[in-house]
Amino acid sequence: MIDPVNKSEIPDEWIEISSMESTKLIEGINKGIYVLLSNGSILNRGYTTGTTAAIAAKAAVLSLKSEVNHVSVPTPVGIRASMAVKSTNGYASVKKPFNDHESDITKELEFEARAIETDEIQVDAGRGIGIVYRDGLQIDKGNPAINPVPMKQIKAAIKEAVDEIGISGAKVTISLPKGEEIAKKTLNYKVGIKGGISIAGTTGFVEPWNDHLGEMKVDLIKESSKVVLTTGRLGIRYSNILFPDHTVVLAGNRISEALKVASGDVIICGLPGLILKWGYPEILENTQYASVAEMIANDLKSEQILKGFQLTAKKAENARVVIVNRQGTIILDSEELK
């Protein structure tokens, strides 16, 4: 089975050991709302601010014709999101769903949308949505902080609504009554957004862990008796799924530094590039390959890969080394070398 949001592979044995009834579990996974971990436990995904705004916008347009209390919209990953709404006479409100991301301060935040009939589809930002005041972001300075992917998602949702009720277009103004208050608890102002939060999200779903690629947290590594050191965003995602009882910390290319302060049960987990080049810097020398990923794709069992992995496991000393592919499947594991 494949997770439709992060495209990772889900082994049958994970489903079998889960305490949730398999039909309900599989349905939830297919809808994108459940993340199944290797020990059979389940975490709840939420919807992004972009998906929630799209739901509110569509409901507001539909309510120009009649009240609606439940709406579904497309998401960037190709599956639909569905939420309960309140709507009447071109106005709709919806709360961003709860999720298991412990630091998502926008969950259960109320979104409002007001729609009027026009000749084309327009999206305006109301109170609580921030304005970009610096260059260098995805949106030009002076414009509302609605990123391109969610803006496309919102317009697609409005298009569905105008087609359903048979009008040419609609202008929808989206607002967040507590957006400015919530924004004070974020880093928005430091990155160039003032007056509210941003409408963001590339998949339409919120993963239930923090995948912020910030600096390596040395204190967190020291304090953790079970820790996974990983190298990037995909490594964070798959490490959380594969090792749910461990603290996952981004080490990036600072694996050696992280190992010096780590103790207890330590795992190095991630994609092959950084990890194998850390263990065997010369792995690509005298080969025709431009990257480790290309070499592995051509022949995972080659002598060069085996040598590189053995040297990596040796350099890791007491730490377990787990290499995954881009689908989250373990392809090399130092436990198998013992």
Side-chain angles (χ1 to χ4, degrees):
M1 185 174 186
I2 302 296
D3 185 303
V5 179
N6 63 33
K7 310 304 180 186
S8 63
E9 298 177 359
I10 302 173
D12 291 341
E13 52 265 33
W14 295 8
I15 296 174
E16 291 169 1
I17 64 175
S18 176
S19 60
M20 182 177 287
E21 195 273 322
S22 60
T23 301
K24 181 181 178 182
L25 174 58
I26 291 170
E27 180 183 7
I29 292 172
N30 284 329
K31 288 181 177 179
I33 60 175
Y34 292 151
V35 178
L36 181 62
L37 309 184
S38 64
N39 62 0
S41 60
I42 300 162
L43 294 177
N44 291 288
R45 279 195 181 97
Y47 295 133
T48 58
T49 51
T51 293
T52 311
I55 290 275
K58 182 176 179 179
V61 176
L62 290 174
S63 72
L64 290 169
K65 182 175 181 180
S66 61
E67 291 184 12
V68 292
N69 55 28
H70 203 272
V71 168
S72 74
V73 298
T75 66
V77 292
I79 55 180
R80 297 189 71 84
S82 181
M83 293 169 58
V85 300
K86 296 179 180 178
S87 70
T88 183
N89 298 323
Y91 167 82
S93 67
V94 60
K95 286 189 176 181
K96 186 171 179 283
F98 178 84
N99 62 68
D100 283 326
H101 189 314
E102 62 182 20
S103 59
D104 180 8
I105 61 173
T106 65
K107 53 190 169 189
E108 301 187 306
L109 181 66
E110 184 181 17
F111 284 61
E112 295 182 342
R114 297 184 183 276
I116 58 173
E117 184 177 352
T118 60
D119 292 332
E120 59 183 8
I121 292 173
Q122 296 174 261
V123 178
D124 281 357
R127 181 166 59 102
I129 295 180
I131 300 296
V132 175
Y133 72 90
R134 288 182 179 173
D135 292 322
L137 300 183
Q138 296 183 56
I139 308 111
D140 292 336
K141 185 167 64 175
N143 290 312
I146 304 178
N147 285 349
V149 172
M151 177 63 83
K152 183 178 179 181
Q153 183 184 9
I154 294 166
K155 288 183 175 180
I158 295 172
K159 178 66 165 56
E160 287 187 346
V162 300
D163 288 348
E164 184 173 331
I165 65 174
I167 61 176
S168 299
K171 176 182 176 182
V172 180
T173 302
I174 301 167
S175 59
L176 295 86
K178 294 185 178 181
E180 191 168 0
E181 176 186 338
I182 290 292
K184 295 175 183 178
K185 302 176 183 179
T186 73
L187 297 175
N188 276 11
Y189 190 79
K190 291 184 178 180
V191 301
I193 298 170
K194 62 181 180 181
I197 69 166
S198 56
I199 304 299
T202 56
T203 66
F205 294 84
V206 176
E207 295 295 341
W209 46 74
N210 190 352
D211 62 355
H212 175 64
L213 298 183
E215 293 185 1
M216 183 176 71
K217 299 177 176 62
V218 172
D219 289 342
L220 185 58
I221 297 172
K222 288 180 178 179
E223 294 167 3
S224 301
S225 59
K226 294 182 176 183
V227 64
V228 180
L229 307 174
T230 190
T231 52
R233 189 176 299 275
L234 284 178
I236 291 173
R237 174 193 300 170
Y238 296 137
S239 295
N240 276 290
I241 292 173
L242 291 167
F243 307 107
D245 58 342
H246 286 59
T247 300
V248 177
V249 179
L250 177 77
N253 60 1
R254 300 163 65 189
I255 298 173
S256 294
E257 182 181 339
L259 284 175
K260 289 179 181 178
V261 297
S263 59
D265 183 358
V266 183
I267 301 170
I268 301 169
C269 178
L271 299 180
L274 273 178
I275 295 176
L276 292 183
K277 289 183 76 174
W278 165 76
Y280 181 29
E282 300 82 17
I283 191 169
L284 293 175
E285 288 187 8
N286 301 315
T287 72
Q288 74 271 32
Y289 300 110
S291 67
V292 175
E294 182 185 0
M295 183 188 298
I296 285 179
N298 183 70
D299 185 3
L300 175 61
K301 298 182 179 180
S302 70
E303 290 185 9
Q304 189 77 341
I305 292 296
L306 178 59
K307 178 182 177 181
F309 189 62
Q310 289 174 333
L311 289 173
T312 300
K314 182 177 180 180
K315 187 172 181 178
E317 296 184 345
N318 295 323
R320 177 183 175 186
V321 181
V322 176
I323 306 292
V324 298
N325 61 20
R326 299 190 72 84
Q327 289 72 47
T329 301
I330 295 175
I331 57 175
L332 294 167
D333 188 342
S334 61
E335 294 247 305
E336 297 179 0
L337 297 178
K338 296 177 180 179

